[in-house]
Amino acid sequence: MAEDESLTDSSSDPNPNPCPICLAPVTQDSYLDRCFHKFCYNCIIRWIDVVASKQSCASSSLKCPMCKTENFSIIYGYDGTSFQQHYVGKSLGNSEFFSGAHRYRLKCYYTEPGDLADKLHVSRHWKCRKYLQQNHFLLDWLRREIQALMQEEDVDIIVHHILGVIESLRSDWLNNSRISTEMVQNEFRVSVSEAVRPFLTGRTERFVNELELFLASGLNIDAFDRVYIKHLGWKVDEISENDDEEPLEHIPVVSCLYFLDEDSDGN
């Protein structure tokens, strides 16, 4: 009898802590800020939209579907050191600037990119000194990336701050032909990290990794998105599928008076 009860208990409750809304395992853990009940991020966002659609005026709070406690925001994206917060009444889904591409990029930060760095030849980007090329797509990519991560439209001050740091580094590297690949890459990562950490906090390291991927790819934004999405096996409706992707090296090389191979001694 005890054995039968044990079998019944184990099989009847395969997921002891499902999302209260969809009843499936929780994806992208999200908590209401007062009662701390946990939901899938997409589920609780949709719940907010449903409740808002039934109200005559916008509200800045939400009653928990479980305990009816009044809550003012959703806490999500906790990575051990920081978290993100979505305030009730601030509907990014209805914001003109927060597009499907923004949502796709934000989702990337919750997904491991695997061997994408190898596919986009990040190491060759540094070894062959392609960092000396000026990337004409970087401004727009940075703007979208920071908008997606901060969920704010007006990020131009931050974007131009990052661009200024990168351009200053590039100018220094152009005037110092003997600096090693390792020193250049380390200086890049440290300088960009210091520039963005006050704004991105726990997302800083991943942002620097994504920035390296974009710069190393040599692609414009649309082509980069297609390569990234294909690599992850996703389908994003707002980003058209096109098998005729641009080649990985299509940005003209800036003329330089020198070219040193990594193994060269400079003579």
Side-chain angles (χ1 to χ4, degrees):
M1 182 68 177
E3 183 179 354
D4 291 341
E5 290 178 354
S6 176
L7 289 173
T8 301
D9 291 342
S10 62
S11 60
S12 62
D13 195 14
N15 180 30
N17 295 301
C19 169
I21 296 176
C22 69
L23 302 181
V26 175
T27 58
Q28 195 174 340
D29 292 3
S30 304
Y31 303 85
L32 292 176
D33 63 355
R34 294 296 177 90
C35 64
F36 289 102
H37 277 121
K38 182 168 71 171
F39 307 87
C40 300
Y41 179 75
N42 287 334
C43 287
I44 193 61
I45 288 294
R46 284 196 294 268
W47 182 274
I48 291 176
D49 291 341
V50 169
V51 171
S53 69
K54 297 179 179 180
Q55 297 176 335
S56 57
C57 58
S59 174
S60 60
S61 64
L62 171 77
K63 288 184 178 180
C64 174
M66 298 289 291
C67 65
K68 306 306 179 184
T69 299
E70 205 78 21
N71 291 268
F72 298 93
S73 67
I74 301 167
I75 296 171
Y76 68 102
Y78 181 67
D79 60 6
T81 59
S82 65
F83 59 86
Q84 297 186 61
Q85 204 162 4
H86 176 90
Y87 288 92
V88 177
K90 181 182 178 183
S91 179
L92 290 174
N94 296 327
S95 298
E96 291 184 2
F97 88 93
F98 207 82
S99 64
H102 286 97
R103 286 189 287 272
Y104 132 71
R105 284 307 299 165
L106 183 58
K107 184 180 178 182
C108 289
Y109 281 75
Y110 295 93
T111 307
E112 287 300 323
D115 61 350
L116 189 55
D118 294 333
K119 291 184 177 180
L120 295 179
H121 307 296
V122 170
S123 61
R124 190 170 69 184
H125 169 76
W126 298 107
K127 180 178 180 180
C128 297
R129 302 186 184 273
K130 294 185 178 182
Y131 53 81
L132 296 177
Q133 303 170 19
Q134 192 166 28
N135 190 305
H136 301 290
F137 313 119
L138 182 56
L139 172 62
D140 290 335
W141 185 87
L142 284 173
R143 181 180 290 112
R144 187 188 66 173
E145 201 79 356
I146 301 300
Q147 284 178 338
L149 289 171
M150 299 187 67
Q151 300 179 28
E152 297 287 347
E153 182 175 10
D154 186 6
V155 297
D156 281 356
I157 293 177
I158 301 171
V159 168
H160 286 286
H161 175 52
I162 300 170
L163 274 177
V165 169
I166 294 174
E167 282 303 303
S168 178
L169 289 171
R170 196 172 71 89
S171 177
D172 291 343
W173 295 332
L174 281 168
N175 293 320
N176 184 1
S177 62
R178 297 180 181 276
I179 188 170
S180 70
T181 298
E182 291 78 10
M183 288 182 64
V184 167
Q185 186 175 13
N186 183 66
E187 188 177 8
F188 172 85
R189 294 188 63 86
V190 170
S191 297
V192 174
S193 294
E194 290 177 350
V196 303
R197 184 167 286 109
F199 312 103
L200 303 185
T201 58
R203 298 294 177 199
T204 296
E205 183 176 354
R206 178 61 185 272
F207 169 79
V208 176
N209 291 342
E210 294 294 309
L211 176 57
E212 278 191 286
L213 289 176
F214 179 71
L215 292 174
S217 74
L219 298 169
N220 63 28
I221 296 177
D222 291 339
F224 178 77
D225 287 348
R226 291 197 297 270
V227 170
Y228 208 117
I229 290 169
K230 183 177 180 180
H231 173 75
L232 294 178
W234 291 354
K235 179 176 177 58
V236 179
D237 293 337
E238 290 84 352
I239 299 172
S240 61
E241 295 182 0
N242 188 346
D243 293 332
D244 298 326
E245 293 164 355
E246 299 184 35
L248 292 185
E249 291 119 354
H250 72 282
I251 300 176
V253 178
V254 175
S255 298
C256 300
L257 296 178
Y258 59 86
F259 182 89
L260 294 179
D261 184 78
E262 188 179 45
D263 298 325
S264 170
D265 60 5
N267 295 321

